[in-house]
Amino acid sequence: MNTMKGSFYILFQNYKKHNIIFWSILFSIVLLSFFLDAFFGQYISFAITISIPVYIFYSSMATKLLNRTLPYFLKLGLSRQQYMINVGLFFISWSLVGALIIASAQKIITYVSTLLNIKNIIIIHPILIFDNTYSFLQTVALDTVLLLFCLCSGLLLNVTFYRLGILGGYSLIGLLALVPILMVIFEWYTPLFEIIANSSKMAIIESIFIFSILLYLVISTSMRKVSVNPV
């Protein structure tokens, strides 16, 4: 337990500054949107998204994890398996905290907009794909699994660069970039959207969570004999 607490503290300190800067900028943009609406709301409408920038931020932070923390943890005496367990638990905790912030921010924005009778600010969130009515807990649940998936995806890219070098890393990026192109060419996106639209929120949440866990297990397996120094 002490090892886990220490690991969480070290991981948190590694990302503390980045988190403060990111959330400060994001909330400053939200405040700027309210300011612009106060003066130009009669001419234009604003679309605000809290979630999507957070997804991008989490993904980018995970792509630097191994280089920033793995050598340090191994020097402290942790095994690679212990390291991956602690990182996995940190990812889940970090995802939940991020999801709570997103959902709370959206509630505050909606409340302030109603209080000030602001009708020109629209909040964009992936949960709107299903319907326009959603609860606070549903938003938290969806964002938690999406943020966890973003962290695992970023870590997968980090592991690829770490183990296979620049050639392997950019090869993976190329393959990932090829997927949406193939989806457009063969029109795979239509049945995909139909499946998502016809599925319940909980089914989608459970599917993303299970896929993220399986992805993390694959990453953990590939870390068993990883070198202290990247390729």
Side-chain angles (χ1 to χ4, degrees):
M1 183 62 69
N2 290 332
T3 302
M4 187 183 299
K5 289 180 180 179
S7 300
F8 270 48
Y9 177 77
I10 294 171
L11 290 167
F12 172 75
Q13 289 298 324
N14 266 278
Y15 290 104
K16 179 180 178 181
K17 181 179 179 181
H18 294 87
N19 273 282
I20 292 174
I21 294 174
F22 169 77
W23 288 109
S24 298
I25 293 174
L26 184 59
F27 288 133
S28 295
I29 293 173
V30 172
L31 291 175
L32 178 62
S33 299
F34 276 103
F35 176 78
L36 292 175
D37 182 83
F39 289 93
F40 307 105
Q42 55 182 329
Y43 305 108
I44 55 177
S45 297
F46 295 92
I48 297 177
T49 174
I50 303 294
S51 55
I52 295 176
V54 182
Y55 302 157
I56 297 171
F57 171 69
Y58 272 46
S59 300
S60 64
M61 288 296 99
T63 60
K64 306 172 184 178
L65 180 75
L66 297 182
N67 306 71
R68 294 170 63 92
T69 63
L70 178 61
Y72 181 76
F73 276 96
L74 294 181
K75 288 179 182 178
L76 290 178
L78 267 71
S79 66
R80 288 162 178 78
Q81 184 179 7
Q82 289 175 316
Y83 172 77
M84 292 306 298
I85 291 173
N86 290 335
V87 168
L89 293 174
F90 177 74
F91 274 6
I92 294 174
S93 302
W94 196 11
S95 299
L96 180 58
V97 171
L100 287 170
I101 295 175
I102 292 172
S104 299
Q106 291 187 167
K107 281 288 184 181
I108 293 172
I109 291 172
T110 302
Y111 174 77
V112 173
S113 298
T114 304
L115 186 65
L116 300 178
N117 196 28
I118 297 175
K119 300 179 180 180
N120 299 314
I121 295 182
I122 303 170
I123 301 176
I124 300 174
H125 191 278
I127 204 169
L128 294 174
I129 296 174
F130 304 100
D131 54 57
N132 293 325
T133 59
Y134 54 89
S135 67
F136 180 86
L137 291 178
Q138 288 175 335
T139 307
V140 171
L142 181 59
D143 279 327
T144 299
V145 297
L146 286 175
L147 289 173
L148 182 61
F149 173 73
C150 290
L151 287 171
C152 292
S153 301
L155 184 58
L156 174 63
L157 185 60
N158 190 193
V159 171
T160 306
F161 272 101
Y162 199 90
R163 295 202 63 172
L164 303 178
I166 295 177
L167 180 61
Y170 282 114
S171 297
L172 177 61
I173 293 175
L175 289 174
L176 295 175
L178 188 62
V179 172
I181 296 175
L182 292 175
M183 290 182 66
V184 172
I185 293 175
F186 295 103
E187 297 184 354
W188 293 339
Y189 57 88
T190 302
L192 178 62
F193 286 151
E194 290 178 355
I195 292 173
I196 294 174
N198 295 327
S199 300
S200 65
K201 297 172 188 175
M202 287 308 302
I204 295 296
I205 290 171
E206 290 172 0
S207 300
I208 297 173
F209 179 73
I210 293 172
F211 182 78
S212 300
I213 295 299
L214 293 175
L215 178 59
Y216 193 81
L217 290 175
V218 171
I219 295 171
S220 299
T221 302
S222 69
M223 288 289 294
R224 287 180 179 178
K225 297 182 179 180
V226 70
S227 172
V228 176
N229 299 312
V231 175

